[in-house]
Amino acid sequence: MTGERVATARREAGLTQKELADRLGVSLWNVERMEDGQEDALARLDALARATGKPRAWFDTAESGDDHADGTAAPEIDRARVLVVAWAIILLVCIRFFSEVVPLLPRAVNFIDIPIFVALVLAAVLLPSQHTRLDRSPALVFLLPGLAFLTVCAFSILVNPGRIATGPSLVFTYGYLAPVGVYFAVYRLWPVGAAMSLSRLFVGLALLQLAVVATISLPRSLAQDNPDLVSGTFGANAYQLVFFLLVAGALLAGIFTFEPERRVAKWVPVLFAAMLATVFLAQYRALILTTAVTLLMIGLLLGTVKVRGLVLGLGVIAIFVGTLSLTAQSLPGLNLAPAVKAFTSNPGQMVVERIRALDHLSHLYTDHPRYMLTGTGPGTYASRAWQTFAQADRQSKSNVAGSYVLGLTGGKIYHTDVSDKYISPQADNPQVFQGSYALKYPYSDYTSLLAEVGFFGFAAMVFIYVAALFRAGKMTLILRRVAPRGDPLPALALASTVGFFVLLQMGILQSWLEVTRLTFPTWILLAVVSKEFHARSDADRALT
């Protein structure tokens, strides 16, 4: 049964996909899958005939047409597209486990984000286009600011020739712009109707993180009295695990609210408690406030639309408070008590301390006002690109690039006049606040952008991420009202919204917008949600 026949019958009957779904008594998602050839419509021939006014025989003739009449070719292409995207996410999330925790692979594979980026772009270019309006993406929202950012980077390089090095400037530009390229590639690749596949993938990866923490990370951490080992499949980077669990937690909350029939839905409260306990075990204290604000946002989004959402929203806050208190009391070695005290008594102090740690930017601008417009040059001040080259000799377990960078530079450490004067003294002698260095380090996406590419580069990149957040949030608000029960898209939209919401906050703490293991999956989520959303004409009109 071809999806084209179903779509043709619906259009000739003057029906929207939503109207046909209502007549058939199925979800909008089912209709989309039937029209895309991913769900067999043979069992619904009588209902389709009644709904569209076509005789059953009209649909039956589709069984004896050309090579694509039985709908077998299209699903093969669709599966290939889904697998390309799925494996990109799996490799990004899991590769460091096999290069750092269980070192079966050389650490060079940690750079797998680069071949993944190339593979997604090539797949988007080489796989045949679907030639439908669904390939229309909000290009102007992200493409024009991206081109503006690239232009600003080029200008900043030209006016700072004596300070620029090729490696850091390329890494800087790639780190900030590649995620946007991934968005466009995945938007073109993704086949409409496969949203459930992505949802199941993220749920499976979340369960994998909890299993690895329980069986490998936590036993090693307790044996060595080292909380930094609680990192799941993310190697030596616990903060990446924390981010992933927050996004996956949002997805589970959406599943609990909008897809109560799924088997995982009844386990969501237990999984939430396990995820929050893992977040606290990972000791990323600087994100406690972010975690609380994120959970509050999830509760507000879900609690105002369904009773199950309200119950979950209230429960999530209770689980957060209870899990944090229990973890702090049960494991005093984690030294969470100071963070809990500061969070409950004076959370504003965390903000004040962070601002003080970033005041180096005001000194740079006071001494060199022109940098407000031109910047010091990409990769020259405090960005992650600068850190990669300027701190290549550091022995940190997470410093994967160090030996490779030293090999490329002949053993020479990269440094610049501005970083030596404004960043290195503070970075080399960090202070401790709440038992952590995170709030006192001089690194932040926002100050790095303002310093290295000036105000216009900063404005372009922040606009891209804020626009992405608002787009994801608006789709979430619309889908929570119009999506039928059991539709996987609202939960994915909520996860996408939370991803950008958390990324924008994490950018205050470090240069996380340059970390592709955080940004690539988030932009992939947005691309898939946008593509699926645009296929639903009613919802798409509401967005515009």
Side-chain angles (χ1 to χ4, degrees), residues 66-195:
D66 56 22
D67 293 341
H68 293 80
D70 62 359
T72 56
E76 290 180 3
I77 295 176
D78 291 339
R79 284 195 295 271
R81 294 170 184 268
V82 172
L83 285 174
V84 169
V85 176
W87 274 107
I89 296 172
I90 292 170
L91 291 173
L92 284 167
V93 171
C94 298
I95 198 69
R96 297 192 80 151
F97 179 80
F98 296 103
S99 63
E100 296 178 12
V101 179
V102 182
L104 301 176
L105 300 174
R107 297 189 71 175
V109 301
N110 288 2
F111 299 106
I112 201 168
D113 61 291
I114 298 175
I116 284 175
F117 172 75
V118 174
L120 288 174
V121 172
L122 288 178
V125 172
L126 297 178
L127 285 177
S129 172
Q130 294 177 321
H131 296 297
T132 70
R133 76 176 187 88
L134 302 181
D135 283 330
R136 184 189 76 244
S137 67
L140 297 181
V141 177
F142 304 127
L143 182 59
L144 291 183
L147 291 175
F149 183 81
L150 183 61
T151 302
V152 170
C153 288
F155 173 75
S156 184
I157 290 172
L158 289 175
V159 299
N160 294 287
R163 188 181 297 121
I164 294 294
T166 302
S169 60
L170 288 177
V171 171
F172 176 92
T173 307
Y174 166 81
Y176 280 111
L177 288 181
V180 183
V182 165
Y183 168 85
F184 286 109
V186 173
Y187 187 94
R188 190 176 189 278
L189 273 174
W190 189 259
V192 172

Side-chain angles (χ1 to χ4, degrees), residues 292-376:
V293 173
T294 300
L295 295 180
L296 180 61
M297 183 187 74
I298 293 173
L300 290 174
L301 285 174
L302 298 181
T304 55
V305 65
K306 289 182 180 291
V307 174
R308 286 179 64 87
L310 177 61
V311 172
L312 181 66
L314 296 175
V316 162
I317 301 300
I319 291 172
F320 170 79
V321 175
T323 305
L324 178 57
S325 300
L326 182 61
T327 304
Q329 294 173 10
S330 302
L331 298 171
L334 294 178
N335 200 25
L336 284 173
V340 174
K341 182 178 180 181
F343 172 73
T344 55
S345 62
N346 187 15
Q349 185 63 27
M350 300 171 67
V351 178
V352 171
E353 293 298 328
R354 191 62 192 137
I355 293 174
R356 288 175 179 171
L358 300 177
D359 64 355
H360 54 80
L361 180 67
S362 63
H363 299 306
L364 173 72
Y365 278 178
T366 300
D367 295 342
H368 307 279
R370 81 171 180 92
Y371 290 148
M372 287 187 282
L373 296 178
T374 67
T376 62

Side-chain angles (χ1 to χ4, degrees), residues 221 225-227 277 280-283 285 327-328 331-338 435:
S221 172
D225 193 24
N226 182 3
F280 302 139
L281 287 171
Q283 261 202 325
R285 302 179 189 86
T327 304
L331 298 171
L334 294 178
N335 200 25
L336 284 173

Side-chain angles (χ1 to χ4, degrees), residues 352-438:
V352 171
E353 293 298 328
R354 191 62 192 137
I355 293 174
R356 288 175 179 171
L358 300 177
D359 64 355
H360 54 80
L361 180 67
S362 63
H363 299 306
L364 173 72
Y365 278 178
T366 300
D367 295 342
H368 307 279
R370 81 171 180 92
Y371 290 148
M372 287 187 282
L373 296 178
T374 67
T376 62
T380 61
Y381 186 76
S383 61
R384 187 165 292 274
W386 171 83
Q387 295 173 53
T388 298
F389 286 82
Q391 300 174 356
D393 60 339
R394 301 207 170 179
Q395 301 302 310
S396 169
K397 291 183 179 180
S398 61
N399 186 20
V400 179
S403 60
Y404 299 100
V405 169
L406 290 175
L408 291 173
T409 61
K412 295 181 180 179
I413 298 300
Y414 175 66
H415 67 92
T416 66
D417 55 331
V418 287
S419 63
D420 288 346
K421 180 176 181 180
Y422 299 101
I423 297 299
S424 294
Q426 187 175 347
D428 293 340
N429 298 283
Q431 301 176 16
V432 176
F433 179 74
Q434 296 180 5
S436 172
Y437 293 115

Side-chain angles (χ1 to χ4, degrees), residues 203 206-207 210 252 264-277:
V203 171
L207 296 177
L210 296 178
L252 288 171
V264 73
K266 64 181 179 180
W267 296 103
V268 167
V270 176
L271 293 174
F272 242 109
M275 287 180 172
L276 287 175

Side-chain angles (χ1 to χ4, degrees), residues 17-37:
Q17 289 180 323
K18 181 68 166 57
E19 290 169 341
L20 178 58
D22 291 340
R23 291 191 180 190
L24 295 177
V26 299
S27 71
L28 178 61
W29 180 62
N30 292 124
V31 171
E32 291 173 346
R33 286 178 61 82
M34 280 192 288
E35 293 190 356
D36 201 46

